[in-house]
């Protein structure tokens, strides 16, 4: 039941150029290696979306229990289990793209001191890279009505699977549903990865999402230094058959030195044989020093 929900969420492919916002340091790393660092979703800048999904589940479970359900203990155990797994569960890696490569809200985050760029890539190329690495590509969901409907389907599935699990003779005791919850954990994480708070709807975000990785040694998991901790990431290969990063278009974010910045970015991309097919465009947003 859960795999059907997941397949539906990731069934619609992107059609437009997808942009990845980054800093100048990020440009050097991404273009130079033709790789994107897909972070564990718990460590992403907007990882509070996992809490958003948990809050949606909690509210709807509470309403159902108050209205009367056959097995309230199952749903309470499900929420209790989720609250712990948000921090300590298996790894799921993701990276963000935007359908709009020139958003003021994004430049505010990535153009500190005039150092922001959005790298535009063809959707077909991103899909091909994702398929080759067992990643999935999905559009983030912002509409509250759609989120509520999806959460309802999740809880319906948990109740149905819980009833079948008990009929099958699942173990008794406090942790009797643990094997069931572990079985659906991967799909739950993938669903949570594309549920975002409605306040961020203007971002038009798409996500690449990895398979669930339970063992650091079994995959290509690496670590980078964050502001206060080590951040696990997965090096997502974006190279073409020639080992280059094929770019469709780039935006240069707000900067106080437009001509020089445009020229140096163009020179760098030319030198890396990563010249954007549709060129580089200045964002035309006034730069303000901070």
């Amino acid at each position: 039941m859960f795999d059907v929900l997941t397949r539906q969420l990731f069934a619609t492919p992107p059609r437009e150029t997808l942009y990845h916002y980054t800093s100048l340091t990020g440009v050097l790393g991404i273009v130079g290696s033709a790789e994107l660092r897909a972070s564990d979703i718990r460590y992403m800048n907007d990882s509070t979306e996992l809490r958003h999904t948990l809050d949606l589940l909690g509210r709807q479970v509470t309403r159902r229990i108050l209205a009367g359900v056959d097995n309230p203990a199952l749903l309470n155990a499900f929420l209790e289990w989720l609250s712990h797994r948000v921090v300590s569960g298996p790894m799921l890696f993701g990276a963000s793209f935007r359908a709009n490569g020139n958003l003021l809200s994004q430049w505010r985050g990535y153009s500190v001191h005039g150092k922001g760029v959005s790298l535009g890539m063809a959707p077909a190329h991103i899909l091909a890279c994702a398929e080759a690495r067992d990643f999935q590509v999905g559009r983030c969901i912002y509409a509250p009505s759609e989120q509520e409907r999806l959460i309802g389907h999740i809880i319906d599935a948990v109740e149905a699977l819980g009833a079948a699990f008990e009929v099958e003779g699942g173990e008794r005791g406090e942790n009797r549903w643990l094997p069931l919850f572990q079985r659906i954990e991967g799909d739950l994480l993938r669903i949570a990865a594309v549920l975002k708070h409605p306040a961020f709807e203007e971002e038009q975000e798409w996500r690449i999402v990895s398979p669930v990785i339970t063992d650091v040694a079994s995959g290509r998991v690496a670590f980078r230094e964050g502001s206060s901790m080590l951040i696990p990431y997965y090096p997502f290969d974006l190279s073409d058959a020639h080992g280059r990063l094929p770019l469709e278009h780039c935006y240069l974010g707000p900067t106080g030195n437009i001509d020089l910045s445009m020229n140096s970015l163009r020179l760098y991309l030319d030198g890396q044989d990563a010249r954007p097919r549709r060129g580089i465009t200045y964002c035309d947003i006034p730069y303000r020093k901070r």
Side-chain angles (χ1 to χ4, degrees):
M1 300 173 73
F2 275 89
D3 59 340
V4 172
L5 288 175
T6 306
R7 283 200 304 272
Q8 290 173 345
L9 279 180
F10 293 92
T12 303
R15 303 293 183 192
E16 62 270 84
T17 300
L18 294 182
Y19 292 86
H20 181 76
Y21 286 79
T22 188
S23 63
L24 292 180
T25 299
V27 169
L28 296 176
I30 294 167
V31 177
S33 65
E35 284 184 346
L36 197 60
R37 291 181 174 183
S39 297
D40 186 321
I41 60 172
R42 294 176 178 84
Y43 294 85
M44 294 177 76
N45 291 338
D46 48 4
S47 60
T48 52
E49 62 215 39
L50 284 178
R51 175 57 57 182
H52 177 61
T53 300
L54 190 59
D55 290 343
L56 290 172
L57 283 164
R59 288 197 295 269
Q60 196 161 145
V61 163
T62 299
R63 289 199 300 267
R64 290 199 183 196
I65 290 175
L66 291 174
V69 292
D70 293 335
N71 198 340
L74 166 68
L75 295 184
N76 279 320
F78 176 57
L79 286 185
E80 176 67 18
W81 173 79
L82 275 178
S83 67
H84 297 297
R85 299 303 283 176
V86 164
V87 173
S88 61
M91 291 176 290
L92 189 83
F93 296 90
S96 299
F97 293 87
R98 306 288 193 271
N100 187 336
N102 189 16
L103 276 172
L104 177 58
S105 61
Q106 296 303 293
W107 293 132
R108 283 174 172 160
Y110 291 97
S111 285
V112 178
H113 307 302
K115 297 180 179 181
V117 176
S118 65
L119 301 171
M121 303 172 211
H125 178 67
I126 294 172
L127 285 168
C129 291
E131 184 176 345
R133 290 149 192 84
D134 293 324
F135 274 61
Q136 293 173 293
V137 181
R139 185 198 295 269
C140 289
I141 296 173
Y142 302 93
S145 59
E146 192 172 353
Q147 292 184 359
E148 285 291 334
R149 180 185 59 79
L150 181 58
I151 293 297
H153 288 324
I154 290 172
I155 299 172
D156 288 343
V158 169
E159 289 189 293
L161 291 171
F165 183 73
E166 291 194 327
V167 169
E168 290 169 5
E171 65 178 87
R172 301 298 172 185
E174 184 179 350
N175 297 318
R176 61 186 181 276
W177 291 297
L178 185 59
L180 168 63
F181 299 155
Q182 290 172 335
R183 193 187 313 164
I184 63 178
E185 186 167 23
D187 286 303
L188 280 171
L189 278 174
R190 278 188 284 272
I191 292 169
V194 294
L195 288 183
K196 295 201 67 175
H197 195 281
F200 300 105
E201 185 172 7
E202 74 156 0
E203 294 178 359
Q204 305 172 55
E205 183 174 344
W206 288 78
R207 280 271 171 87
I208 57 169
V209 180
S210 76
V212 169
I213 296 177
T214 57
D215 182 4
V216 172
S218 68
R220 294 179 58 204
V221 180
F223 293 83
R224 63 178 177 84
E225 182 181 356
S227 58
S228 60
M229 66 190 76
L230 293 176
I231 308 296
Y233 73 90
Y234 185 102
F236 182 79
D237 187 0
L238 281 166
S239 62
D240 61 13
H242 305 287
R244 300 184 294 250
L245 178 66
L247 294 174
E248 279 286 296
H249 181 240
C250 285
Y251 279 105
L252 175 67
T255 178
N257 299 289
I258 299 173
D259 292 338
L260 286 174
S261 295
M262 288 284 285
N263 186 60
S264 61
L265 179 59
R266 185 179 296 109
L267 288 172
Y268 173 70
L269 295 178
D270 285 353
Q272 295 294 316
D273 203 9
R275 185 185 297 111
R277 189 178 65 85
R278 290 172 17 228
I280 304 170
T281 304
Y282 183 61
C283 66
D284 283 330
I285 294 173
Y287 173 67
R288 293 185 179 181
K289 274 191 175 183
R290 299 185 184 183

